[in-house]
Amino acid sequence: MFIRKARKTDQATGTKCVCYQLVESYRTPNGPKQRILLDLGRLDLDKQQLKILAKRIDEILKGERRLFGVSQKIESLARHFASMLRKQRLHSGNVESSEPEGSWENVNLDMIAVQNVRTVGAEVVGAWAFDTLGMAKILQDAGLGERDIALVKLLILGKLIHPGSEIEIYEWFSMSQIALEEIIGIDARDVSLTSLYRACDSLIDHKEFIEEALTQKERTLFGLGENLILFDLTNTYFEGTPVSSKAKHGASKEKRTDSPLVTLALIIDEDGFAKWSKVFAGNISEPATLKTVLGEMLHHFNQKMSIMGKRVMVVFDAGVATEVHLNMVREMGLDYVCIDRRRIKDIPQGDEQLVHECPSGIVRTIRDESSGEVFLYCTSGRGQDEEEAIKNKLQKDFEQALQRIAEGLKKKGGIKRYEKILERIGRLKEKYGPIAYFYEINVTEKNGIAQDISWSIKNELSFDVKFAGFYRLRSSRMDLSDKELWDLYNMLTNVEDSFQSLKDEFAFESVYYQVYQEIEGHVFLTVLAYHLLWVIQKTLHEKGIRHNWKTLRESLSGQFIITTTMVNDKGQVINIRHTSEPEPMHVTIYQALGLSLKPLKTVRKIE
């Protein structure tokens, strides 16, 4: 094994350059010949160093230990190239046994090494969702080529597993600490940032076709009812000055009024599946603009549902259920259920109906149909004063607990690691679920250390209604019972969790693009990753597993695919590429999804 110099010409520019190749000699009936094992690229080494590097690569591949060490630079390069060559050989097809059974070898225990360790759990689950949705076929039918489909798969799985921009996904993939190369079948060396941007751009030209195909596939997979829709708006801001008429300054939850925004408008059904999305100008919060957006979204979606012979019901949050929007919904022939924003002066007399009962309380309703709409006057088993007291205590306890965590960031010896802070906040959310839902909590971090914690109430009106002791629902559906209407409205809480997933799970925050096509492609990739997420969540929920994706992702990162290298008593080097043993959480998730406990095939090669 030796390294030789080669001269190559760049086909695009015509520029000539010097690079290096790892070569080995072998015997044939016609005499000795040479074959290229690996292209090493450019190396800043002299002739003697190249000789040492070649010998060290050979020693690592054979599992031999060197009596005298080499320089750190040579050792690092040798291990890198040996790893590349070992991976190349394991996937060359010249494999002794893909699943060896009953193979026994006498090996030198001191010569056993574990190398090429890559995380595999979240990657396999994401790929399962991609395949379950038939995403490759959808993209193929949309006109994408085989390579673009592989790159899009990389981008979507990247959004799911390592949320961030395309450049962050590229850097994450290039680091090769993940098993996506083996899962997708694409070499990291063949992927450039430019190719990822081009693949992302190609999605936008087929956006409507892809969304419709996904809607049909999800409807078939899960038997979705699609009788209820909810829309939401969320914005994302830019660093820099984007060249886009849709990037406008507006109200930002991140308080980034200095940065231009765009807004993602999204329609989902009662099961949380996305149906339609569109990017609008960042000043969407203006009433006139909001009316335009809502009208376009509802018109588009209602046309599709009318073809299916369904009459769609829209559920409005209290903050959006204005008379203007309700009139628009009526004019479009849609039904609705929402909180009545108008002040309640008197509760009418009538028979009370029990619509909800649980250990934490009961809800009763009085029905009024005198005005051509259904009005449900809902009261809890507790009085208004008691509800207010409960709200104040929960709010006080929750905010004090958050304050203690925030103060710990400033104390010597306090918990400061970003992941640990998120875990503590997650446990608080579980403990104070009824009130934590209404809070927007932001944690700033730097180099993995939490810097500050801030919080605010997302929707004051909804918050007050929740703990008012009584409230009034209104609906156009006079044929539904009190309990049916109450249940429909309370789906809002569950469905809004899906929007929170979009923001929390995919880091839907700042983006670094200037061209609108790139901006829209980035947002659409996030929506496609959300489709995968919801297929995973829905399947797991049906099996009683209700962990959020972040918890699942972190747990799944504890399984790896590794290469174990050993030397037997014949002096042969045995390389085995295999998956580590699953932990109990992995077993639970894989069994629920119908995956193998060791999801990648074992590969064995003797040299």
Side-chain angles (χ1 to χ4, degrees), residues 228-247:
L228 179 72
I229 65 171
L230 178 77
F231 89 97
D232 193 25
L233 305 170
T234 185
N235 57 39
T236 182
Y237 62 89
F238 303 95
E239 303 289 351
T241 306
V243 185
S244 171
S245 60
K246 293 193 177 184

Side-chain angles (χ1 to χ4, degrees), residues 208-449:
E208 187 173 344
F209 174 86
I210 292 170
E211 285 193 318
E212 178 60 27
L214 286 172
T215 295
Q216 293 180 6
K217 183 67 174 182
E218 289 162 350
R219 184 184 301 136
T220 302
L221 285 173
F222 298 102
L224 304 178
E226 297 178 321
N227 296 312
L228 179 72
I229 65 171
L230 178 77
F231 89 97
D232 193 25
L233 305 170
T234 185
N235 57 39
T236 182
Y237 62 89
F238 303 95
E239 303 289 351
T241 306
V243 185
S244 171
S245 60
K246 293 193 177 184
K248 303 290 184 182
H249 288 270
S252 167
K253 290 181 179 178
E254 292 81 16
K255 310 302 180 186
R256 292 301 300 268
T257 54
D258 61 313
S259 299
L261 313 168
V262 294
T263 295
L264 169 66
L266 188 68
I267 277 184
I268 65 174
D269 65 13
E270 64 263 44
D271 291 295
F273 285 92
K275 300 300 177 187
W276 184 81
S277 66
K278 189 167 182 178
V279 175
F280 291 93
N283 57 351
I284 202 69
S285 59
E286 298 174 4
T289 314
L290 182 58
K291 180 181 177 182
T292 301
V293 174
L294 183 59
E296 182 177 344
M297 294 174 71
L298 293 179
H299 178 72
H300 174 94
F301 193 70
N302 193 42
Q303 277 187 324
K304 293 184 178 299
M305 299 309 293
S306 297
I307 295 173
M308 298 168 61
K310 292 188 175 184
R311 186 175 173 90
V312 177
M313 176 174 282
V314 185
V315 177
F316 283 122
D317 194 3
V320 187
T322 64
E323 291 299 326
V324 172
H325 295 148
L326 292 179
N327 286 334
M328 179 168 46
V329 170
R330 293 189 195 99
E331 290 168 3
M332 297 176 65
L334 298 172
D335 291 308
Y336 58 87
V337 60
C338 64
I339 283 283
D340 191 358
R341 293 164 56 97
R342 296 170 296 185
R343 185 175 181 180
I344 302 174
K345 297 180 180 179
D346 299 301
I347 298 178
Q349 298 297 315
D351 295 332
E352 288 189 347
Q353 299 293 323
L354 179 65
V355 297
H356 178 71
E357 184 173 13
C358 69
S360 61
I362 61 175
V363 177
R364 292 189 175 91
T365 59
I366 297 176
R367 190 181 187 100
D368 179 13
E369 298 180 355
S370 60
S371 60
E373 288 180 282
V374 178
F375 288 89
L376 285 186
Y377 293 80
C378 306
T379 60
S380 70
R382 297 182 288 260
Q384 185 175 5
D385 291 341
E386 189 176 350
E387 286 282 353
E388 183 70 17
I390 291 172
K391 181 192 80 169
N392 291 339
K393 186 178 187 309
L394 283 173
Q395 187 174 7
K396 179 182 177 182
D397 292 348
F398 182 59
E399 291 190 2
Q400 284 181 345
L402 288 172
Q403 186 64 39
R404 285 194 294 271
I405 296 176
E407 290 172 354
L409 301 179
K410 308 293 190 296
K411 292 180 179 178
K412 184 178 180 180
I415 296 175
K416 299 179 178 64
R417 283 180 53 198
Y418 180 64
E419 294 83 1
K420 289 295 184 182
I421 294 298
L422 292 183
E423 286 179 15
R424 294 186 68 186
I425 292 174
R427 288 196 292 269
L428 273 185
K429 285 183 175 181
E430 291 179 5
K431 182 177 180 180
Y432 295 96
I435 204 162
Y437 169 77
F438 294 95
Y439 277 77
E440 183 84 23
I441 303 172
N442 296 306
V443 182
T444 57
E445 64 93 19
K446 183 178 180 181
N447 299 325
I449 302 299

Side-chain angles (χ1 to χ4, degrees), residues 89 101 391:
R89 287 174 172 177
E101 294 184 7
K391 181 192 80 169

Side-chain angles (χ1 to χ4, degrees), residues 459-478:
N459 189 320
E460 293 280 358
L461 182 56
S462 296
F463 182 54
D464 291 338
V465 166
K466 174 73 175 178
F467 296 95
F470 64 91
Y471 52 93
R472 181 168 57 193
L473 298 182
R474 63 188 296 190
S475 175
S476 59
R477 288 290 299 272
M478 302 179 70

